[in-house]
Amino acid sequence: MRRPTLALLLAAMQIAGGSALAANSVPVADAIWFNGPIITIDERQPDAQAVAVKDGKILAVGDKQQVLKNQGPATRMLDLKGSTLLPGFIDPHGHVSMVGFQAASANLLPPPDGANNSIPKLQETLRNFEQQSPIPAQFGVLFGFGYDDSQLQEQRHPTKFDLDAVSQDVPIAIVHQSSHLGVLNGKALELAGINASTPNPEGGVIRRIEGSQEPNGVLEENAFFTALVKIFPKLTADQAVDMLSAGQKLYISYGYTTLQDGRSSPDQVRTAIKAAGDGKLLADIVSYPDILTKGTKELLVAPWYHPTNQPVVYNQHLRIGGVKLTLDGSPQGKTAWLSQPYFKPPQGQDASYAGYGVVKDEDVLAIYKEALANRWQILTHTNGDRAIDQLLTSMKAAEKAYPGVDVRPVMIHGQTLRKDQVAQLKQLKIFPSLFPMHTYYWGDWHRESVLGPQRAENISPTQWVLKEGLKFTTHHDAPVALPDSMRVLAATVNRTTRSGYVLGPEQRVTPLQALKAMTLWSAYQHFEEDRKGSITPGKLADFVVLSANPLTVAPATLNDIQVLKTVKEGQVIYERPAKVAQLPPSFGMHGDPSLPTPPGIQAVAQGDGDLGPALDVIYDKLAPAQP
């Protein structure tokens, strides 16, 4: 047997030594977050002392000394200084494109998000916006967003006569906070082609002056949507991107790193595609175009859409997640489809009025079958329990035709979800995205006018869902309400109305459960639980930094917590300044206005689109105050 030579022994020792060094080497982090509570939303490691990030993903989580092994000479050490780090919030239902429209409209919201508690105040706001903003002149229409008849002293909708008192020459259109109703003045009705001989469209109502067929200006559902399309100005591609960017700005100021456009028109999808191509998307956007709108199906192609049996893929922060179907309206607007009559029927309706559906049963079934056949995830708007019955019955029939095909369908809102319907959701694998934020904004209205004291107690019944073994998500439906993450959290935990009444105390959940609904469970809803929703090694470094720990503060103070930073794949995309500039109350952008201007805004302001200068005026007013 030959003895190994000295050279061979030395070579073997070098190889062994090199292997040992490789085994002991630790990847060097780009950044390490430390010195504050870290809520991971990962049950295997609920909290941590430090988080390391590399190449936009989470590298290590846990004990500070262990994570510091990933520190290198170039690692950025990010001191939380006692603030709290969580996974970035994932929007389970909202309309980011419409939030951009809200930013270009007069702010007609009631307190605490606006100042409109009467029709004279609303008229004053519209007049001020027309005088202060260049947008109405450039649009050729004066838009207002967010009025709420339940919060007006008059306890009624404004009419065309109220808006004509602002102007008879300028078309005026105001949008109800629910976005399911609106009011047009006489000029806008004329442009929309609505008069005494115009019939109600299918799935919509033109309200009339009592004793005649003359429209009073209030339009419901499809009547309003159709009119809005006719009077809405044609935007250039750059103008539309500006509007989307305005919505994105507001979302990220509240800690959202994944945004939803939950009922996109084909044009809004094309705008998002342009924004992605222009590099203007700071956060991820998941779009669900309206399946009832012509042109939607043609959009469901790569690279923007991939069927549910394929991996999730974003293209420059954008993907199409599936489609949206709307089966009824709004409970606070009294257009939701209930199985029992409204507690107090709206104007012009008798005591048997229970709202109405907007899509025929046979059409719903056909859409669900098509969704399963093509593996489209489908979101279904159902506020009333009768609309939920339509969802359940139709989905059950569709699944018989396509057994075993799971597209993780989502029930959106489910505000009047009955207890007997929850088990059916579980059986059909329908994911509930609930709206407990309504307990704050409209809980009193539900008790006093919409549903009555008994039915109102169990709107958005989160505990019924949990006890059935289901996950749920909790949303804001912006621009119906601001995309205020802490208001969502507080309402889900406390269920306290504007008046201080606790609506359905047995439906309250813990702060941790509510946070899961805004992070990990929302990631699951979007088929993204393997890459988002918790601070877990290998997932994206999407974070939000809060001023206090939601798990330790008094639940009543949850809404006082501020978002300090929003982090997308390791990069800070929003940081709250020490001082915040104040907007005139008539302007439409709300929340913290110190938002980073997406690249390209200044180019638009220099003449690439007529809307650019108008929005740039808003952005100038939104700039942070100098210290």
Side-chain angles (χ1 to χ4, degrees):
M1 181 177 179
R2 295 180 58 188
R3 290 185 176 183
T5 64
L6 179 60
L8 288 173
L9 287 171
L10 289 172
M13 290 173 64
Q14 286 178 329
I15 292 171
S19 299
L21 286 171
N24 292 328
S25 66
V26 176
V28 176
D30 297 328
I32 294 177
W33 297 81
F34 69 100
N35 195 25
I38 297 172
I39 303 172
T40 67
I41 313 293
D42 185 339
E43 292 181 355
R44 297 164 297 184
Q45 190 174 33
D47 48 40
Q49 295 179 334
V51 177
V53 174
K54 183 175 178 61
D55 297 329
K57 293 185 177 181
I58 298 166
L59 178 63
V61 182
D63 176 79
K64 181 179 177 182
Q65 294 306 312
Q66 186 68 27
V67 173
L68 285 178
K69 293 179 180 179
N70 298 102
Q71 183 180 1
T75 301
R76 290 176 292 124
M77 300 302 294
L78 303 175
D79 189 344
L80 289 166
K81 298 179 180 179
S83 54
T84 301
L85 186 72
L86 293 91
F89 297 127
I90 299 171
D91 176 21
H93 186 63
H95 306 270
V96 64
S97 291
M98 282 298 293
V99 173
F101 167 70
Q102 181 185 24
S105 305
N107 173 14
L108 302 185
L109 291 168
D113 303 319
N116 302 278
N117 58 6
S118 69
I119 289 176
K121 182 62 181 175
L122 182 149
Q123 292 169 323
E124 178 187 348
T125 299
L126 287 169
R127 292 189 186 101
N128 289 342
F129 186 70
E130 184 180 18
Q131 294 168 6
Q132 296 172 4
S133 170
I135 292 177
Q138 294 178 9
F139 271 1
V141 181
L142 173 56
F143 287 110
F145 188 92
Y147 86 89
D148 183 0
D149 56 305
S150 75
Q151 299 301 311
L152 296 177
Q153 292 174 5
E154 295 83 358
Q155 290 286 285
R156 67 171 176 86
H157 292 271
T159 66
K160 70 176 180 181
F161 303 108
D162 296 314
L163 299 187
D164 281 345
V166 176
S167 177
Q168 295 184 32
D169 301 320
V170 176
I172 302 175
I174 64 174
V175 185
H176 189 266
Q177 192 171 359
S178 69
S179 297
H180 284 262
L181 303 93
V183 188
L184 275 59
N185 73 343
K187 189 69 173 178
L189 286 170
E190 179 184 333
L191 288 178
I194 297 175
N195 53 46
S197 63
T198 307
N200 289 339
E202 185 176 342
V205 173
I206 300 170
R207 294 193 185 180
R208 316 283 175 167
I209 297 172
E210 190 173 355
S212 79
Q213 286 299 302
E214 190 69 29
N216 72 358
V218 180
L219 307 176
E220 299 179 8
E221 300 296 337
N222 287 342
F224 178 59
F225 303 146
T226 302
L228 201 59
V229 168
K230 290 180 180 179
I231 67 174
F232 200 83
K234 298 294 183 184
L235 304 180
T236 68
D238 286 320
Q239 290 170 351
V241 168
D242 266 358
M243 195 168 280
L244 176 63
S245 295
Q248 175 185 230
K249 282 183 168 189
L250 187 58
Y251 265 84
I252 64 176
S253 75
Y254 286 114
Y256 286 94
T257 52
T258 299
L259 326 180
Q260 190 186 101
D261 207 21
R263 190 186 180 183
S264 314
S265 69
D267 281 346
Q268 287 171 331
V269 174
R270 285 187 280 270
T271 294
I273 290 172
K274 175 173 170 52
D278 292 348
K280 292 188 175 181
L281 299 188
L282 307 179
D284 288 342
I285 293 181
V286 191
S287 174
Y288 290 86
D290 187 345
I291 190 59
L292 297 177
T293 302
K294 184 179 178 181
T296 284
K297 296 177 186 178
E298 290 76 7
L299 296 169
L300 301 176
V301 294
W304 308 106
Y305 174 75
H306 297 273
T308 57
N309 60 341
Q310 296 181 13
V312 168
V313 177
Y314 282 88
N315 191 348
Q316 297 168 298
H317 292 300
L318 176 68
R319 73 179 179 96
I320 297 175
V323 295
K324 172 74 177 294
L325 175 66
T326 299
L327 296 185
D328 73 340
S330 155
Q332 71 269 28
K334 298 187 179 179
T335 60
W337 195 13
L338 304 178
S339 61
Q340 300 295 321
Y342 279 88
F343 189 61
K344 294 181 181 178
Q347 178 187 358
Q349 301 292 345
D350 60 29
S352 66
Y353 174 78
Y356 49 89
V358 296
V359 186
K360 295 177 181 177
D361 288 346
E362 58 267 30
D363 294 334
V364 177
L365 176 58
I367 289 167
Y368 286 162
K369 284 183 176 180
E370 191 173 14
L372 294 177
N374 291 284
R375 293 188 178 272
W376 301 334
Q377 186 182 34
I378 185 162
L379 315 185
T380 305
H381 168 116
T382 54
N383 266 314
D385 61 328
R386 178 62 187 86
I388 297 170
D389 282 333
Q390 187 181 34
L391 159 64
L392 295 170
T393 301
S394 301
M395 186 59 74
K396 185 175 182 179
E399 289 188 354
K400 284 184 178 179
Y402 293 92
V405 177
D406 180 15
V407 297
R408 210 170 285 177
V410 181
M411 178 191 70
I412 297 294
H413 305 321
Q415 286 192 71
T416 59
L417 177 69
R418 301 190 309 265
K419 195 170 187 178
D420 65 284
Q421 292 173 324
V422 179
Q424 296 179 67
L425 291 178
K426 183 176 183 180
Q427 180 184 4
L428 295 170
K429 297 182 179 178
I430 297 173
F431 190 94
S433 183
L434 301 176
F435 205 174
M437 197 180 193
H438 260 232
T439 58
Y440 171 74
Y441 280 104
W442 291 286
D444 295 322
W445 181 241
H446 280 307
R447 293 183 71 246
E448 297 162 6
S449 184
V450 178
L451 299 172
Q454 293 182 333
R455 280 187 292 171
E457 289 292 308
N458 293 310
I459 63 170
S460 291
T462 47
Q463 274 295 346
W464 286 353
V465 168
L466 288 176
K467 288 176 181 177
E468 193 63 43
L470 295 171
K471 304 179 182 73
F472 72 91
T473 55
T474 179
H475 58 254
H476 44 68
D477 198 24
V480 171
L482 296 175
D484 185 341
S485 55
M486 293 300 99
R487 178 73 74 187
V488 172
L489 178 66
T492 308
V493 171
N494 297 314
R495 294 180 66 96
T496 303
T497 71
R498 293 177 195 258
S499 69
Y501 178 83
V502 178
L503 187 67
E506 70 280 1
Q507 298 291 358
R508 290 181 293 188
V509 299
T510 68
L512 180 59
Q513 288 169 326
L515 287 173
K516 286 181 178 180
M518 298 168 68
T519 53
L520 187 59
W521 294 348
S522 191
Y524 175 86
Q525 177 187 309
H526 288 92
F527 287 91
E528 296 191 60
E529 67 271 21
D530 62 338
R531 62 200 304 268
K532 293 179 181 175
S534 65
I535 300 179
T536 302
K539 290 191 177 184
L540 295 179
D542 291 357
F543 305 139
V544 58
V545 179
L546 301 180
S547 61
N549 186 341
L551 301 184
T552 59
V553 301
T557 66
L558 285 169
N559 193 54
D560 297 329
I561 297 175
Q562 295 178 336
V563 172
L564 303 181
K565 292 182 181 180
T566 305
V567 181
K568 177 65 181 149
E569 295 175 34
Q571 301 299 313
V572 175
I573 60 173
Y574 165 77
E575 186 164 7
R576 183 180 180 85
K579 281 189 175 183
V580 174
Q582 296 298 314
L583 273 178
S586 59
F587 273 82
M589 179 68 83
H590 314 290
D592 178 357
S594 57
L595 311 179
T597 301
I601 285 293
Q602 295 304 321
V604 174
Q606 293 165 4
D608 290 348
D610 291 339
L611 184 60
L615 287 181
D616 200 50
V617 170
I618 292 181
Y619 296 146
D620 286 344
K621 291 180 179 294
L622 296 178
Q626 296 300 314

